[in-house]
Amino acid sequence: MDTITTLKGSLMEGFHPKGWDLEKIQECCRHDADEATERQPFWNDGFQPVPCDTVATFNVKMGHEMARQIAQARHEGRELAMILPVGPTGMYAWVVYFLREWNIPCDHLHCFNMDEWSDAQGNTLPEEQPGSFKRTMQRVFYEPLGALTVPQAQRNFATRDNLPLYPEKIAALKKRGVRLVTVYGIGRDFHIAFCEPHFAQEFDSDESWKKAPYWLGAKLHPLSIEQNAISSFRGSFTDVPCFANTIGPGLFLQSDYAIGGLDRALERGVSLHTPALWVTLRYGPTRWVPSSYMPTMPGRLFYVRALAEAMPRA
């Protein structure tokens, strides 16, 4: 007896995105922890999952990977464009630490925040309000870098006016040979940024979905809202906006390299993100599971090992 066998007639009927194969999702999660790194046919040759024993180790490794990309571009005399998340955030302290230790100025860096809370019209959460992604980014990344920080004009936030300019700005950077690196977390509903799985119903094929550059005032899935209530709002679901501005696959699938992270291993073996890890690694590319496309690009996906161990056995 489980959700699948008791779904009909329940309040959960119609809750999940219609393109989800629940039996396939369940099967993806029925593997032993050491199988998480087994290569799948759809993975890019340059894609690598990286298990981390603790959240602390995860933060260091992911932060080092981000700092390494920034430093390498600096040493080679190249500009670098990065699409950045707010969550996870623990790695930013280590990005700052390594860049300051190595004395790497970041005036070669162009940053694009991937999303921001909004209303239905795309008006974003005021920066002074707790929960603002812009406020968090200033606090955990730009301000601690001090004199080494990214110039104000090269920091982009997903506002109603600026997000529609992302495609043009990124295209201009790539035209002059700038490498694009996307840093991402994965949502409980398998979103990348706030590119939600139910957006798939707006498109008649994966190919057309792949071209979508962004959404303003996008409707969030309840799973995203509940996840963020727990992770960012101390469980207060009434404080979480129901809409967000977000980049789409038309931008993040342009990445030359991607750095992912999954760290939500909670206490007593409870996990928000075990399905997100396994489905990303095993489901196979489909617009109904946005994160399933990330292994098709070169990069590294860091995850806390407990996430691969937390699923109950059948």
Side-chain angles (χ1 to χ4, degrees):
M1 188 182 297
D2 57 19
T3 293
I4 296 170
T5 60
T6 62
L7 191 62
K8 189 172 179 58
S10 75
L11 290 177
M12 289 294 289
E13 192 171 17
F15 173 79
H16 301 105
K18 66 179 182 180
W20 281 8
D21 182 336
L22 297 184
E23 291 183 355
K24 187 174 183 178
I25 288 173
Q26 189 176 68
E27 177 56 32
C28 286
C29 300
R30 294 293 188 252
H31 293 275
D32 293 325
D34 58 3
E35 296 178 75
T37 56
E38 290 182 356
R39 301 200 66 80
Q40 301 301 301
F42 69 94
W43 289 8
N44 186 286
D45 288 344
F47 173 77
Q48 178 188 11
V50 181
C52 305
D53 289 335
T54 65
V55 174
T57 303
F58 165 91
N59 288 334
V60 176
K61 287 186 175 182
M62 190 170 177
H64 180 267
E65 183 71 8
M66 291 171 64
R68 186 176 68 87
Q69 293 290 326
I70 296 168
Q72 182 176 338
R74 183 76 188 187
H75 292 321
E76 294 175 356
R78 296 186 289 105
E79 295 177 275
L80 179 68
M82 298 186 82
I83 295 175
L84 296 172
V86 164
T89 56
M91 72 283 192
Y92 281 112
W94 289 101
V95 179
V96 170
Y97 173 80
F98 287 119
L99 292 176
R100 290 177 66 95
E101 281 290 296
W102 302 336
N103 194 32
I104 304 294
C106 292
D107 54 355
H108 66 303
L109 189 58
H110 301 263
C111 297
F112 297 83
N113 256 66
M114 56 174 49
D115 47 18
E116 181 60 273
W117 301 112
S118 78
D119 60 18
Q121 290 72 47
N123 301 303
T124 49
L125 195 69
E127 184 178 347
E128 64 273 10
Q129 186 171 334
S132 161
F133 291 169
K134 181 177 181 180
R135 171 180 172 168
T136 300
M137 283 298 293
Q138 304 280 29
R139 179 174 55 83
V140 301
F141 185 45
Y142 296 126
E143 292 173 3
L145 280 172
L148 301 175
T149 198
V150 180
Q152 289 276 356
Q154 291 165 209
R155 308 176 193 177
N156 289 276
F157 297 97
T159 63
R160 180 177 177 176
D161 294 331
N162 195 41
L163 181 57
L165 302 179
Y166 277 25
E168 178 184 347
K169 290 182 177 183
I170 290 175
L173 289 167
K174 289 184 75 71
K175 187 175 181 180
R176 63 176 190 251
V178 176
R179 195 162 180 258
L180 177 64
V181 174
T182 291
V183 183
Y184 65 95
I186 303 171
R188 183 159 164 75
D189 64 351
F190 319 128
H191 67 220
I192 297 296
F194 276 129
C195 177
E196 302 284 73
H198 58 274
F199 297 174
Q201 63 197 16
E202 301 173 18
F203 304 91
D204 58 9
S205 69
D206 282 16
E207 292 307 309
S208 59
W209 171 85
K210 287 182 189 179
K211 298 175 183 176
Y214 63 85
W215 284 269
L216 292 173
K219 292 182 180 180
L220 300 179
H221 194 276
L223 284 172
S224 286
I225 294 171
E226 191 63 12
Q227 171 199 325
N228 280 276
I230 294 168
S231 63
S232 304
F233 290 85
R234 299 181 181 271
S236 181
F237 60 86
T238 58
D239 286 321
V240 185
C242 296
F243 300 86
N245 295 342
T246 182
I247 63 165
L251 296 182
F252 64 74
L253 290 182
Q254 292 187 49
S255 303
D256 298 292
Y257 192 79
I259 303 168
L262 276 168
D263 65 341
R264 297 294 179 187
L266 305 181
E267 294 180 358
R268 299 188 302 278
V270 179
S271 169
L272 284 176
H273 280 150
T274 292
L277 172 65
W278 281 109
V279 171
T280 297
L281 295 174
R282 294 275 177 156
Y283 199 95
T286 170
R287 70 186 186 277
W288 289 98
V289 179
S291 66
S292 65
Y293 272 94
M294 304 317 286
T296 69
M297 299 186 292
R300 307 180 86 185
L301 173 58
F302 298 88
Y303 66 92
V304 177
R305 194 184 302 272
L307 295 178
E309 299 169 348
M311 286 302 292
R313 309 311 300 167

